[in-house]
Amino acid sequence: MSPVDEFLPPGWTVQEGRGIALVIAGPSGAGKSSVIAEVLRRDPNLAFSVSATTRPRRPEEVDGRDYSFVSEEAFDRMIEEGALIEWTTYGGYRYGTPWAEVAGRLAAGQDLLINVEVQGALALRRSALPHPMVLVFMIPPSRDELRRRIRARGTESDEALARRLAIAEEEIRAIPEFDYLVVNDALEEAVARVEAILAAERARIMRCSP
Ligand code: 5GP
């Protein structure tokens, strides 16, 4: 019960116990990870859903913070046990969203940021999670910039880069299925746009309905 409830129709209540899942997708090179890290740093009420992956850890990454880095066998086991809401193969490695990272925390009213590729975002929306998913598509300001950023990452082979470019082109076609588009030209502005989306979603009347 909130004191504000007396303003609402019978049966409605300000749903403090219902977390928002803000799913950020978009091609590799859109800058999702940097934007997410900054939004998390600024908002202590937000948490990050840590995916499981079979990809090797990059030097700047921390196991358990950025990803749970697991073996192929451990990933197989997670699938068999039904521990993943969705999973995909991307650039030769597997990535998945564990139920344990998401369901309980949303039910407890925790707002979550989820970083996935495009099909993963759409799979989350179709999943059995009883919470509305807010789907944000993040893109760089131009195709040239997209290519430049993917190349600049430089942690992968030429073959891996070509694969990521091809996947990016495919992903861009799904933009119409998303709720919000965030152009990431400058980090500061993209962070402000994501924060604005979160503020708008937190204020939705729908979140008070029975
Ligand atoms: P990276 O190897 O650059 O960290 O991630 C590659 C892609 O996998 C990115 O587009 C990232 O958003 C996506 N990804 C990370 N975790 C998950 C996940 O749990 N599920 C899905 N479907 N994609 C993920």
Side-chain angles (χ1 to χ4, degrees), residues 32 51 55 58 67 86 88 95-97 115-117 164:
K32 289 173 288 179
S51 295
R55 169 169 72 63
R58 295 183 184 132
Y67 282 107
E86 61 76 38
T88 193
Y95 299 81
T97 310
N115 178 349
V116 289
E117 47 67 62
R164 277 175 189 255

Side-chain angles (χ1 to χ4, degrees), residues 150-188:
I150 293 181
R151 282 201 195 95
R153 185 162 269 175
T155 51
E156 277 124 311
S157 63
D158 284 355
E159 194 194 330
L161 290 181
R163 240 183 353 233
R164 277 175 189 255
L165 279 168
I167 298 169
E169 289 300 330
E170 183 68 32
E171 291 189 306
I172 284 164
R173 291 199 214 129
I175 288 177
E177 296 184 60
F178 279 69
D179 301 313
Y180 294 95
L181 187 65
V182 168
V183 178
N184 182 13
D185 36 12
L187 179 72
E188 188 63 28

